Amino acid sequence: MLSSSDFASASWELVVRVDHEIEEQQKDIKLRVSGDLHIGGVMLKLVEQMNITQDWSDFALWWEQKRCWLLKTHWTLDKCGVQADAKLLFTPQHKMLRLRLPNARTVRLRVSFSAVVFKAVADICKVLNIRRPEELSLLKPSGDYTKKKKKKDKNSKEPMIEDVLNLDSSSTNSGSPVSPGLYSKTMTPTYDPINGMPALSTMTWFGDSPLTEQNCSVLAFSQPPPSPDVLADMFQPRSLVDKAKMNAGWLDSSRSLMEQNIQEDEQLLLRFKYYTFFDLNPKYDAVRINQLYEQARWAVLLEEIDCTEEEMLIFAALQYHISKLSLCAEIQDFATKSEVDEVEAALSSLEVTLEGGKADNTLEDITDIPKLADYLKLFRPKKLMLKAFKQYWFVFKDTSIAYFKNKELEQGEPIEKLNIRGCEIAPDVNVAGRKFGIKLLIPVADGMNEVYLRCDHEDQYARWMAACILASKGKTMADSSYQPEVINILSFLKMKNRNSSPLVASSIESMDMNPECLVSPRCAKKHKSKQLAARILEAHHNVAQMPLVEAKLQFIQAWQSLPEFGLTYYLVRFKGSKKDDILGVSYNRLIRIDAVTGIPVTTWRFANMKQWNVNWEIRQVAIEFDQNVSIAFTCLSADCKIVHEYIGGYIFLSTRSKDQNETLDEDLFHKLTGGQD
């Protein structure tokens, strides 16, 4: 039998602070516990001692010194390492958070502060009806983001706190992360692919969700263009180093918000982090497409990505067109033809095929790989040499380009054979100047070899450019995406062609346009307002008949065609180097860039990567590639964990397929991105 003194020596006093929502101040509760008491028993004692009747199922213990949640309720205090000096907080796991979306609107909703960020973002996307949540993450605004705002007058309006959309009803306090919202396997919302509005059959159950019809429109429709003052007031990166600083605030996907010192009701940015947008479908992705369009729009306006003046005018024309359609009241009542159910359409196509007829979508003969053969001009840049193109006979087959002195020598040995698989492809086009070029960056052991091809006209360029894009991804022209790629390139060239048909700018249209809102401030300074409006209206003529969602998709595709698209920059110091460099991270490669000149030095492709790891003691990332190539670098503008997660995240996203039915292997993601720190 233990005496009372023996029992007292085996137990000790634990102070737990209770974060109660009803009481304004936190309250300290003293408990008598022993080391063999499990976490669940501590919480039970707490609730019994407080004697307050409510649902406590969402509450959990947070250990302040260790900055971790004690979520394994069957573990004992001894196993967790909790002793009398531990500072524990009994607090709800779900707290309010303000998220600034890509369209500059702020939503306020309840988010899990105990789940890892990867899971929390997935739950947020369910509420907002954004598919493929693995492409997004949370970004903490940097000091530069609001640097210019602080210099403004105190009476100036802060767009970051205007019109907060409160979605508090989207979650409960009862332990379940969030309600399914509009994201459900059995009830996926259907949108009109023309105007992006929810289909009538979908609206019957919209009322049960925090995303009512009105709120859905807020997220699925673009905001009016910002005023020139607001635009000029926002941070605009002027160098690659500035761009690198913007990417320092990405949260660690393998840790919770609480572990990363995020406070309740703090504002974070919800952004598309990975630039691989899988399975964009206008029928289901109205919100996703709009938010993606908005992120692209702000990237162009704030010059986070470089583009030519001609491309800037196309972006402006598309913005103007989208803005007009979004504000048009008639869009809301737009009636479309009833769509055939996808299953019925598939069965119909199968029936036609079985009967020996020809279905709408012709099947490719995979045994017959097409080839291109034509005269093109070629140029290889060399130092101190003028840009002189020379004509050759080119043959494009599989994923390789061979060129010969002339057509008659095609059956012999080529002058050179270029393997396009894994190359970087960039357009070198000036439609007004009738220049249709393709820039090939071919990776070699010591860097990149540049090759320029010059086509004679739009059709030839579209066919060869589409073939190069597919070949760089390891696909041939037999792939079903080849013809759509050709069509997309031709439509983009048509938008660039300002002389496609004469246009007299309407004075009414010129009056309701503020051209300075549609282009970057630097571009606006180069031209007078009337001149800029006329050029935008001229470009708008080529897109004036586009439906709303198609125009947004066209904007996204034009954004994707820019040479710098998808590159995220970090300031690093390579092992053995005496100067800082910029590291560009893309979906399929790493690029070492000279921080002063901005010129790419070396490219390493993920396809050639054998292994990568992090030395957490010295915070150094080490990567090993084929052919005994290895690199190591330390990150100067951000934590090395962020770069490590980017690499693993892109490799994880490359494993996705439509057969997965939108289910993700979360364990694989954390294995590839989590590290061992």
Side-chain angles (χ1 to χ4, degrees), residues 403-416:
Y403 63 94
F404 307 82
K405 191 172 183 179
N406 53 50
K407 184 178 179 180
E408 288 70 26
L409 299 175
E410 180 183 335
Q411 302 305 321
E413 282 292 318
I415 297 173
E416 187 180 10

Side-chain angles (χ1 to χ4, degrees), residues 37 49 92 144 174 188 202 218 226 233 291 304 339-340 351 373 419 472 488 511 524 555 565:
L37 181 65
Q49 193 161 324
D144 291 327
S174 60
T188 305
T202 309
V218 169
D233 193 34
Q291 297 300 327
E304 293 173 9
E339 295 182 7
V340 181
E351 182 182 356
N419 185 13
S472 69
N488 285 338
M511 284 170 60
F555 192 102
F565 169 77

Side-chain angles (χ1 to χ4, degrees), residues 548-606:
L548 179 59
V549 177
E550 186 182 334
K552 290 179 183 178
L553 288 171
Q554 195 67 246
F555 192 102
I556 294 168
Q557 288 172 359
W559 176 46
Q560 290 175 305
S561 71
L562 296 176
E564 284 188 15
F565 169 77
L567 281 173
T568 307
Y569 300 103
Y570 289 98
L571 188 66
V572 301
R573 174 72 65 88
F574 279 89
K575 186 178 180 180
S577 176
K578 294 182 179 180
K579 65 184 184 72
D580 300 341
D581 286 297
I582 296 292
L583 181 73
V585 184
S586 183
Y587 75 97
N588 63 351
R589 67 198 188 279
L590 299 174
I591 305 177
R592 182 177 182 174
I593 304 170
D594 189 292
V596 178
T597 64
I599 297 174
V601 179
T602 314
T603 295
W604 304 279
R605 306 193 68 80
F606 292 158

Side-chain angles (χ1 to χ4, degrees), residues 311-324:
E311 289 163 342
M312 181 69 76
L313 291 173
I314 292 171
F315 287 126
L318 284 167
Q319 285 181 74
Y320 176 62
H321 182 63
I322 291 166
S323 178
K324 282 180 65 177

Side-chain angles (χ1 to χ4, degrees), residues 382-394:
K382 294 180 182 178
K383 291 181 180 179
L384 304 175
M385 181 178 176
L386 295 175
K387 204 168 187 177
F389 283 87
K390 191 172 181 181
Q391 182 170 281
Y392 295 98
W393 177 257
F394 283 81

Side-chain angles (χ1 to χ4, degrees), residues 72-114:
K72 295 180 178 178
T73 54
H74 60 285
W75 279 25
T76 63
L77 293 174
D78 283 343
K79 188 171 183 179
C80 292
V82 175
Q83 297 177 347
D85 61 346
K87 294 181 180 179
L88 301 183
L89 177 67
F90 192 49
T91 184
Q93 297 177 60
H94 292 80
K95 304 175 186 291
M96 297 306 297
L97 192 67
R98 288 181 297 127
L99 295 176
R100 193 160 194 251
L101 305 181
N103 68 342
R105 289 298 302 267
T106 300
V107 297
R108 189 170 180 267
L109 70 169
R110 200 171 293 273
V111 178
S112 174
F113 273 57
S114 62

